[in-house]
Amino acid sequence: MSDNFVFIENIYRSRMTLLDILEERGYEVAPYRKFSPAEATAAVGALQGLNFKVHKKVDESKVCEVRYDSISRPKLSTYFNDISDEDSEHTEIIMMMEGAVADAHHMTALKEYSKLKSTPDENGKLTRRRLRVSFFSIYMLVVNPMKHVLVPKHEIVPEEEHKALMEKLHVISKSKFPEIKFHIDPIARCIGAVPGDIVKITRPSTSAGETIIYRVCAP
């Protein structure tokens, strides 16, 4: 089996995994389900041809751009400047790369989420752009990490439920929850967790049937 054949298979399988992850998160991916091994073959040497864009089923203004590219470290600081301040809060970018995800990618994801807008709001304050950027290695998504037997179910708790949940658990501050690291944790990346999110984790239990714990997504 040639290296080229393995790479084509990995492109195809990781694409299918990514579509599953996006669909689980509420994006409309049906138009891209017909992706074929022949298209994966044609993309070798021109990965950008695999780029696509999807929107949320319940809100078409919320979009995810999937880009296939290998970005040099010097370009990481300017690569996402094409997303305007106006579009940043309802845009997500997923970068699919041939190489491994490194510390520079984790730092870039946090920087893009924390970067301030260039124009003050109506109160004269500069607010965060909150552009969500996630980096994935093609090889990481050959198998869906969310379906691994050792990975418990992870869910993001809706923000409107945070107050009631914290009162129920007698937690006075989100900082009191155990942490799940933004972007660094691969499952947090898969579910799209950002700083401040509360993540519900349901684990099987031999005594209780299941055990539920909560973590806060932290920078």
Side-chain angles (χ1 to χ4, degrees):
M1 185 180 295
S2 70
D3 291 342
N4 200 44
F5 180 85
V6 172
F7 184 54
I8 292 168
E9 182 183 25
N10 289 340
I11 290 176
Y12 176 78
R13 292 177 62 186
S14 63
R15 176 81 154 208
M16 294 298 102
T17 296
L18 178 59
L19 291 175
D20 288 343
I21 289 172
L22 289 173
E23 186 169 39
E24 183 70 22
R25 287 166 54 184
Y27 286 102
E28 178 56 74
V29 301
Y32 298 96
R33 284 289 186 188
K34 295 181 180 180
F35 183 71
S36 68
E39 290 177 275
T41 302
V44 174
L47 288 178
Q48 289 85 354
L50 296 175
N51 294 356
F52 66 97
K53 185 176 181 178
V54 291
H55 59 77
K56 290 277 189 178
K57 294 178 181 179
V58 297
D59 186 352
E60 293 190 8
S61 70
K62 295 182 179 180
V63 299
C64 178
E65 294 185 19
V66 178
R67 301 179 181 182
Y68 286 74
D69 207 347
S70 294
I71 315 168
S72 64
R73 290 196 178 188
K75 289 185 178 180
L76 280 173
S77 61
T78 58
Y79 184 84
F80 303 102
N81 288 352
D82 60 313
I83 304 298
S84 68
D85 286 349
E86 182 181 359
D87 292 335
S88 62
E89 291 190 47
H90 56 258
T91 299
E92 177 178 4
I93 299 177
I94 291 180
M95 298 297 308
M96 295 291 287
M97 309 181 302
E98 184 177 353
V101 178
D103 288 345
H105 301 111
H106 300 318
M107 290 187 290
T108 297
L110 181 58
K111 174 186 173 184
E112 291 299 328
Y113 188 77
S114 304
K115 187 184 293 184
L116 297 177
K117 294 180 178 180
S118 57
T119 304
D121 63 12
E122 60 273 13
N123 297 317
K125 294 182 179 180
L126 291 176
T127 57
R128 298 186 187 279
R129 276 166 52 87
R130 298 187 184 277
L131 176 63
R132 294 173 296 158
V133 176
S134 301
F135 296 88
F136 289 95
S137 167
I138 288 171
Y139 301 99
M140 173 190 169
L141 295 186
V142 169
V143 176
N144 192 339
M146 299 294 295
K147 295 182 178 180
H148 193 284
V149 66
L150 296 179
V151 176
K153 184 178 181 180
H154 286 61
E155 305 169 86
I156 297 176
V157 178
E159 187 173 359
E160 60 269 21
E161 298 177 15
H162 287 191
K163 182 178 179 180
L165 175 65
M166 292 171 66
E167 289 177 350
K168 177 182 177 181
L169 298 176
H170 304 290
V171 176
I172 60 174
S173 171
K174 288 184 182 180
S175 63
K176 301 301 182 182
F177 284 110
E179 294 182 352
I180 183 170
K181 282 295 186 180
F182 170 65
H183 200 275
I184 294 174
D185 187 291
I187 303 303
R189 214 181 311 159
C190 286
I191 64 175
V194 296
D197 281 343
I198 296 176
V199 179
K200 176 183 178 181
I201 303 174
T202 306
R203 301 180 183 274
S205 169
T206 54
S207 58
E210 65 179 27
T211 300
I212 296 175
I213 63 172
Y214 295 91
R215 295 184 182 275
V216 64
C217 185

